[in-house]
């Protein structure tokens, strides 16, 4: 076991984590960044990214994250391929233990662990990931202009995704397990009145099909009943809108979380309820969940950490 001291420990390596590393290292804070189980975050599983500033022709997710990582290293961020498994924020300096047993003694911590989209658990979701399967309509909807798509879910998020896609796609199916929408009345009214949205109630997705990408979905209506019915729909895109799970379990008991597990911050700052601990990116954002907003909060968290250290004469 090794004990490693640092002024700034960044946990997570998505856009928020890398940007926090860039800003903290440029402030000469010599941050250590721990990549976690998925170096680069969710964007490494994304093919084309067209809505991140600075890439007029788009960019592959893996390429963009590699470039952000290289930029952080260039300014002095030390990056380790480790995952935090235990923390103690009860007193400063903070103690964080990684999956190899090493302990990080940190004056400040920036949590950038992200959030994972919930999936149905179908093998086909993995097979067609980036080839028609997505968990972000805002990110990928542009690729489905004038095509047929499906949105899985019946809550407000699913309705929002369906409404957004309906402005781009020719046809939008909403696949809903129940015989009603769980969404608010105003959202229900909007999707029901949108001409190119068709709601498929009492339907479960059991598979996807297609040669080089998604071409359709296998559905079962009234599954497990006497009038169970199999049906296929022709689609090019399959969007999951059944929620996200923030990757914050390891911080429970120290950092204040909301009902969904997202870290509460003292907006507009990135401070948590623990002085010296900050949160950025999707782990503290149940609303926007975009790469550019994550990068922005990563910048703010690094600046907040710098100010905190200066205020405590630890710069």
């Amino acid at each position: 076991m090794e004990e490693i001291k640092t002024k700034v420990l960044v946990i997570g390596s998505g856009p928020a984590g890398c940007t926090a590393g860039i800003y903290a290292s440029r402030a000469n804070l010599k941050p250590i960044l721990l990549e976690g189980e998925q170096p680069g975050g969710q964007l490494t599983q994304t093919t084309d990214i067209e809505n991140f500033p600075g890439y007029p022709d788009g960019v592959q997710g893996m390429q963009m994250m590699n470039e952000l990582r290289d930029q952080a290293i260039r300014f002095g961020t030390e990056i380790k391929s480790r995952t935090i498994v235990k923390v103690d924020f009860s007193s400063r300096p903070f103690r964080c233990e990684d999956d190899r047993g090493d302990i990080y003694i940190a004056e400040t911590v920036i949590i950038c662990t992200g959030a994972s989209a919930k999936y149905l658990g179908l093998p086909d979701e993995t097979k067609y990931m980036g080839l028609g399967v997505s968990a972000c309509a805002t990110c990928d909807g542009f690729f489905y202009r004038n095509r047929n798509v499906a949105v899985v879910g019946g809550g407000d998020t699913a309705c929002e995704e369906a409404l957004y896609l309906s402005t781009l796609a020719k046809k939008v199916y909403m696949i809903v397990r129940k015989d009603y929408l769980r969404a608010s009345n105003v959202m229900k009214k909007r999707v029901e009145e949108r001409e190119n949205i068709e709601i498929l109630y009492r339907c479960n997705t059991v598979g996807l099909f297609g040669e080089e990408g998604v071409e359709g979905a296998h559905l079962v209506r009234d599954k497990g009943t006497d009038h169970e019915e199999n049906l296929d729909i022709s689609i090019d895109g399959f969007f999951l809108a059944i929620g996200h799970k923030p990757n914050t379990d390891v911080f429970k008991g120290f950092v204040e979380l909301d009902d969904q597990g997202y870290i509460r911050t003292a907006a507009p700052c990135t401070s948590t309820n623990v002085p010296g601990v900050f949160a950025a990116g999707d782990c503290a954002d149940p609303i926007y969940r975009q790469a550019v907003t994550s990068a922005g909060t990563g910048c703010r968290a690094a600046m907040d950490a710098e100010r905190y250290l200066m205020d405590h004469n630890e710069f």
Side-chain angles (χ1 to χ4, degrees):
M1 181 187 77
E2 181 182 3
E3 286 197 353
I4 304 161
K5 293 184 178 180
T6 181
K7 289 184 182 296
V8 180
L9 179 66
V10 181
I11 306 174
S13 57
C18 286
T19 305
I22 291 168
Y23 273 77
S25 54
R26 280 174 56 85
N28 200 34
L29 296 176
K30 299 180 175 59
I32 295 175
L33 185 154
L34 305 183
E35 289 187 307
E37 295 179 354
Q38 187 177 12
Q42 293 186 83
L43 284 185
T44 57
Q45 296 182 327
T46 303
T47 50
D48 295 313
I49 298 172
E50 294 192 335
N51 57 0
F52 197 92
Y55 294 97
D57 299 319
V59 62
Q60 294 285 304
M62 183 66 79
Q63 178 189 341
M64 190 182 89
M65 290 315 305
N66 284 339
E67 290 175 355
L68 280 175
R69 185 181 190 275
D70 290 345
Q71 189 173 358
I73 292 172
R74 175 193 165 200
F75 290 114
T77 302
E78 181 181 353
I79 297 181
K80 292 177 175 287
S81 298
R82 307 288 181 86
T83 300
I84 288 298
V85 296
K86 184 179 180 181
V87 302
D88 183 356
F89 294 161
S90 59
S91 62
R92 293 183 64 245
F94 307 116
R95 295 176 63 87
C96 302
E97 182 179 339
D98 71 19
D99 51 352
R100 299 187 189 180
D102 289 340
I103 305 294
Y104 300 85
I105 311 297
E107 299 299 330
T108 61
V109 173
I110 301 176
I111 303 170
C112 307
T113 47
S116 302
K118 295 179 182 177
Y119 290 87
L120 298 174
L122 303 174
D124 288 338
E125 289 173 316
T126 302
K127 176 181 178 181
Y128 294 108
M129 186 63 65
L131 298 172
V133 171
S134 171
C136 181
T138 307
C139 309
D140 300 326
F142 183 78
F143 301 113
Y144 298 92
R145 289 171 297 172
N146 301 315
R147 302 169 83 176
N148 295 338
V149 299
V151 175
V152 180
D156 279 339
T157 299
C159 289
E160 289 171 4
E161 301 273 86
L163 287 165
Y164 174 77
L165 289 167
S166 72
T167 66
L168 301 167
K170 180 170 66 175
K171 172 91 174 195
V172 179
Y173 294 100
M174 286 190 70
I175 303 172
V176 182
R177 287 189 304 112
K178 300 182 182 296
D179 59 359
Y180 61 90
L181 292 173
R182 294 182 292 103
S184 59
N185 288 332
V186 64
M187 295 303 292
K188 283 192 256 188
K189 190 171 186 292
R190 287 175 184 170
V191 297
E192 289 169 352
E193 291 178 349
R194 192 62 59 92
E195 290 184 359
N196 63 335
I197 295 179
E198 180 179 347
I199 305 173
L200 302 174
Y201 290 109
R202 308 187 315 279
C203 285
N204 287 274
T205 306
V206 294
L208 303 170
F209 61 88
E211 291 298 321
E212 298 182 358
V214 171
E215 295 177 7
H218 299 300
L219 310 181
V220 176
R221 176 176 282 139
D222 297 321
K223 188 175 181 180
T225 68
D226 294 338
H227 42 282
E228 181 175 297
E229 175 189 4
N230 295 309
L231 62 151
D232 290 347
I233 56 173
S234 177
I235 56 171
D236 301 292
F238 184 77
F239 291 84
L240 281 302
I242 54 177
H244 286 73
K245 184 185 186 305
N247 304 317
T248 57
D249 286 351
V250 71
F251 308 111
K252 286 180 179 177
F254 293 102
V255 174
E256 184 180 353
L257 309 176
D258 69 11
D259 293 341
Q260 301 176 69
Y262 289 94
I263 298 174
R264 295 187 188 275
T265 55
C269 297
T270 61
S271 308
T272 69
N273 61 300
V274 181
V277 176
F278 307 89
D282 286 7
C283 67
D285 177 14
I287 300 173
Y288 300 104
R289 294 193 298 267
Q290 299 298 301
V292 67
T293 54
S294 291
T297 54
C299 158
R300 288 160 50 200
M303 295 177 73
D304 289 341
E306 179 186 3
R307 291 193 185 102
Y308 180 87
L309 291 169
M310 291 182 68
D311 289 344
H312 288 75
N313 298 316
E314 297 170 0
F315 188 74

